[in-house]
Each structure stands twice: as structure tokens, then as C-alpha cells.
Amino acid sequence: MTFIGKLARFGTAVSLAALIAAAPASAKNFKIAVGDGAGGTQEALGKAFVAALEENTGGAHTGTLFLNGQLGSEQDTVNDAAMGLLDFSILAINNVTPFSPSVGVLTLPYMMLSLEDAETLTQGPIGQELVENTLRDSGVRILGWAYSGFRVLTNSRKPVTTVADLQDLVVRVPKNEIMIATYKAWGVNPTPMAWSETFAGLQTGVVDGQDNPYITVYSMKFDEVQSHVTNLRYLFSIEPLIVSEAVFQGLSEEEQQAVLDAGQAATEFSAQYLREQEEQIKNVLVERGMQISDPADGEQEFIDLATSEVWPQFYDSIGGVEKLNEALAAIGRDPVATN
């Protein structure tokens, strides 16, 4: 089955005649900013979205991906989209959180423990509420979600299996309060660093390590400057596809529905892409010389410190402990005490 054929299974049928009648005089080629490089889940989501959009609009609309942050840092693209200067962007969820803090519920450490948890939260009522909050807070609309897997820890110096092993490492993190607080709970003062500077920071030894999903490690070629991987599962990485609300409102109702359907098709494609690709990519990284270690004692030391020390710090920003408990209930986990 062709790539377009796969996506057509997921898309919602749209009346081609209606779209043609409503289409602008000339086809629109939307600009889509992508933070990561080729071969990652961000690119896969973007390609899936473009293919579904072309399918749904009979070719009236398409899009061009600009990889490796060509259109600015991930946080800059949120600002640009909000002002109508950029059409679409695909970026890590932690770079949306500064603009819409309630989205931080998805970045609390050990909140999501599987791909299925991520799908449930992003595609159910919790996800819809976060879409509405993000639109209200930042002027951009989340259309779809890339699922990239757990942010494993990589470093250039040694195997890491315990919290104690972390103490003498300089670890890069995004400029995200929750992620910074997580490393501090583990006794480490991490180094916030822009994504565009990360490879050079690792290459020059300014930082020893960083965390990102296997697929991102592969697509960004971090194996060239990192030799050790620790299978941390503290954060399941999801990467929303956002559209400028100004751009979205400039479309006809039929075109808006075509865009929404393309986002859903791309989301479903992304989940399947992760299931099919992650294990193969891990094997490739091992073949390239990376050594993979598992945390000691089922990661319990990491889990206990992160959930006990970090979660309470962010109850208010995510909308209260009740919002956390709603999310936990949605994925079948016990609530935390509300006092």
C-alpha cells in the first residue's frame, strides 16, 4: 500500500466538489517549521499531514517542511504563528508549556508510562481541553500530535544506572521549568540550552549529556558525540503540530475541516510509525557503538524523587491537583491526595 494509501485509511472523507467550489483561486503551499532533522517523528508527522491535506483537498493545498529549525527556534515559531507570520510548526510539547502552562500536565515526570497513555490523554477529553487552553493562551491551535517515545538520557562519559551516577555530569535540558525541576530533584543542576545549540554543546564538551527519544537521538546524529544511553522513562515525548489561528480562520469551513482531518490522520500515522521504527532505530544506534543501560531497581529511585518533589511544585500551573487527578484517572492510575 502506498504512503498516501495508508493515510487515506485514517482520514475522514471530504466532499471534493465542495472543496473545489470553496478553494482559493490558486493552491496554497503552507510553510511548516520543524525543529528536528530528517528521519525523526516530527518529519514523519509533517509528511503525513501534508499527504493527507493534499488528499483531502484534491491538491488545492499542500505544505513544505523546513527542518532543523530553519524558521527559528521552536519557541520562536509559536510567537510567529501567533502573530500570523508562520503557518504551521511541529515542536516539542515542553516548548508550548511556557505559553500555555496547563499543557505542563503532559510533561510532569512519570505522568505517562506508555504510548497508549499518551494516545489516551492527547486524543481524549483531556487533550481537547488542552487544545482549547492553548488556543486561548497563545493564539495557536493544536491540530495533531507526534509520538516520539521516552526521553532517554545520553552522555559521553560513562554508564548511568543510579541517581548517584548523575551527580558529576553536566546535562543539557530545554528551558522548561518542569524538566529543570526534575533534574534538581535528582540532585543535579542542569544546563538549560536552546535546541539549536545542543549538538555543538555536546560536541565541544560544554555539556556531557542530554535527554531525548531514541528517534531524535538518531535523527540528530547524537551518536556521533554521545556513547552511553540510559533507558529513563521519566518523560514520554509528544510533539504537537500547531497552526496559526489567524491562518486557520482565513480558511473556509470546508478547508478548516480538511486541515483538522489531516491532523488526525497524521496523529494516527505517528503512533504507528513509532511502534514500527523505535526498536529498529535502537538497534542501529547500538551498531554505531552506543551502549545502552537500564536504571537500577526498575528506576524506583528516580520515580520516587521526581513524583514526590516535582509534582507538587506545579499543581497550580497545570490548573490544580484536580486536573492532575483527572489525567491520572483517564489512564487508570490512582489519584494523589488533595488534602
Side-chain angles (χ1 to χ4, degrees):
M1 181 178 290
T2 66
F3 182 68
I4 295 287
K6 283 186 177 181
L7 295 172
R9 293 185 305 166
F10 300 122
T12 301
V14 178
S15 168
L16 183 58
L19 284 172
I20 292 174
S26 60
K28 189 90 171 182
N29 185 359
F30 294 110
K31 287 185 177 180
I32 305 174
V34 182
D36 286 352
T41 49
Q42 289 189 3
E43 182 194 39
L45 179 81
K47 286 183 174 180
F49 174 75
V50 170
L53 181 64
E54 291 174 349
E55 182 80 10
N56 290 351
T57 63
H61 295 307
T62 187
T64 299
L65 304 182
F66 293 85
L67 303 175
N68 283 315
Q70 293 177 63
L71 301 184
S73 72
E74 290 192 348
Q75 289 193 17
D76 286 345
T77 66
V78 179
N79 277 320
D80 289 346
M83 292 187 290
L85 303 176
L86 175 66
D87 302 322
F88 296 85
S89 179
I90 304 170
L91 67 162
I93 190 68
N94 51 273
N95 285 317
V96 176
T97 308
F99 302 92
S100 187
S102 66
V103 177
V105 71
L106 301 178
T107 63
L108 289 176
Y110 301 102
M111 178 67 215
M112 294 180 287
L113 303 179
S114 67
L115 170 57
E116 290 70 29
D117 284 353
E119 290 178 290
T120 297
L121 290 177
T122 55
Q123 297 186 52
I126 301 291
Q128 184 55 44
E129 181 177 352
L130 295 177
V131 169
E132 293 166 2
N133 291 351
T134 302
L135 179 56
R136 177 197 67 206
D137 297 339
S138 62
V140 300
R141 180 184 295 264
I142 297 174
L143 295 173
W145 306 88
Y147 303 110
S148 296
F150 290 103
R151 293 180 72 109
V152 296
L153 174 70
T154 72
N155 83 90
S156 59
R157 291 177 49 195
K158 63 180 181 178
V160 172
T161 62
T162 67
V163 170
D165 293 334
L166 278 176
Q167 301 313 304
D168 60 344
L169 293 180
V170 180
V171 181
R172 174 268 174 187
V173 295
K175 297 174 182 178
N176 176 270
E177 292 183 0
I178 295 176
M179 298 172 74
I180 292 169
T182 300
Y183 275 91
K184 286 184 175 179
W186 293 333
V188 176
N189 192 22
T191 301
M193 180 179 289
W195 183 230
S196 59
E197 301 170 4
T198 301
F199 188 94
L202 296 168
Q203 188 175 42
T204 59
V206 172
V207 289
D208 299 316
Q210 61 82 53
D211 67 56
N212 261 292
Y214 278 107
I215 290 178
T216 305
V217 172
Y218 169 79
S219 69
M220 298 304 293
K221 300 182 179 180
F222 284 162
D223 56 283
E224 295 180 1
V225 290
Q226 302 276 269
S227 51
H228 299 280
V229 181
T230 303
N231 277 325
L232 285 184
R233 296 167 61 86
Y234 86 103
L235 181 59
F236 189 96
S237 186
I238 53 177
E239 296 161 319
L241 164 66
I242 62 171
V243 61
S244 164
E245 185 63 8
V247 170
F248 186 78
Q249 292 301 330
L251 301 173
S252 70
E253 289 186 9
E254 291 83 0
E255 291 166 331
Q256 288 178 359
Q257 191 59 53
V259 167
L260 293 171
D261 291 342
Q264 179 61 28
T267 297
E268 295 176 13
F269 179 84
S270 179
Q272 187 60 30
Y273 180 86
L274 178 62
R275 290 185 174 99
E276 292 175 353
Q277 297 296 320
E278 186 174 51
E279 197 62 33
Q280 297 178 42
I281 284 172
K282 286 170 65 175
N283 292 336
V284 170
L285 293 174
V286 170
E287 290 171 2
R288 293 180 179 178
M290 298 196 84
Q291 301 175 36
I292 298 178
S293 302
D294 290 318
D297 300 322
E299 207 168 336
Q300 198 60 51
E301 183 184 17
F302 290 92
I303 294 170
D304 291 344
L305 288 169
T307 54
S308 65
E309 296 187 22
V310 179
W311 283 15
Q313 295 181 46
F314 295 95
Y315 288 160
D316 290 343
S317 67
I318 66 172
V321 68
E322 296 81 10
K323 291 297 181 183
L324 171 60
N325 283 338
E326 286 178 19
L328 290 170
I331 53 179
R333 292 175 60 190
D334 293 335
V336 299
T338 58
N339 295 326

